[in-house]
Amino acid sequence: MAVQMMSFATVESFKVTTTNVSGAGSITKVIESALQSTADTARIIFDFGISGTKVIKLDETIDIPESKSGVLLIDASSSLDTVIFDGTDKTFTGFYLKSAHVVAFKKVNFRNFGKALENYTSRLNIYDCEFTGNKVGVYLGYYSNEIDGCVFGSNEKGLHIESNAAKITNCKFGLSKDEQITMKNGIAVHLTSWGNITLFENNVLTCYNVGMKFESETFISNPISSCFFGVNSKCQLVDPEDWGRQ
């Protein structure tokens, strides 16, 4: 599905070559260039020259505004490196999306952010990414979103869905038993204000105090399919008028 969605006629690639946040080859500079591309897909890739784990420490939010291309793809799947964006102290959003086009992340890791990804106006697709140690892994505030093959570990809240539709497939949401004790209000998936899950399939939720929480007229369009709710995970409806369904 992801390949079909992102297989457009023309692709222009841009390389991140340094873990520096600014300057030539940095993630911010490369995003600025990619946003000017008129290709169907502007693809950002990572090539640091030497393989290994590469940590890009952000000190402020990276805004992704309107792009000229149909798709902005930030893609570490072909890199020899493990690419990690690190927010250090969980006080700010990593990437704030406000493009009317498609923004996609593939095989990128995010840790220690207030919100790793925050989306209000883009169509956001996330594939094979990992979110660890964030207050909120992904915050979906608007539009249609697709999340597949991602891992949400050690986040106070894995996924927050507000006023939009989302497909969530083949994902793992989990805390350790010790983290479950310290994160007493930990939630794997939280829906608020007309949040809508159109597909929830082949997902695993373990050791969260609340596996799924529904409030303020939220709902799932189709039955939950082939999912596993581990020890102490549960579904919670906040009030009798909510539309959430287990």
Side-chain angles (χ1 to χ4, degrees), residues 156-227:
E156 294 178 30
K157 185 184 297 183
L159 181 61
H160 189 142
I161 304 171
E162 179 183 356
S163 302
N164 72 94
K167 293 181 179 179
I168 306 164
T169 53
N170 306 305
C171 293
K172 295 180 179 179
F173 300 81
L175 299 176
S176 70
K177 290 185 178 180
D178 288 340
E179 288 168 341
Q180 184 186 22
I181 295 172
T182 58
M183 297 182 189
K184 295 181 180 179
N185 298 315
I187 303 171
V189 180
H190 189 188
L191 289 83
T192 59
S193 302
W194 292 94
N196 172 23
I197 294 178
T198 57
L199 182 64
F200 197 79
E201 186 173 79
N202 295 328
N203 300 299
V204 176
L205 300 84
T206 56
C207 289
Y208 272 93
N209 288 283
V210 178
M212 302 184 75
K213 183 175 182 178
F214 303 85
E215 58 182 315
S216 302
E217 298 183 332
T218 56
F219 59 99
I220 294 181
S221 302
N222 295 293
I224 294 174
S225 175
S226 302
C227 293

Side-chain angles (χ1 to χ4, degrees), residues 1-8 11 41 71 73 104 106 125 127:
M1 181 179 297
V3 173
Q4 292 176 350
M5 291 180 65
M6 293 186 288
S7 294
F8 291 91
V11 178
T41 298
V71 175
L73 169 61
K106 190 171 184 180
N125 297 330
Y127 307 109

Side-chain angles (χ1 to χ4, degrees), residues 83-103:
V83 178
I84 302 173
F85 288 102
D86 192 332
T88 306
D89 58 7
K90 303 183 182 181
T91 59
F92 62 95
T93 294
F95 291 81
Y96 185 89
L97 313 180
K98 46 187 178 182
S99 168
H101 297 295
V102 178
V103 178

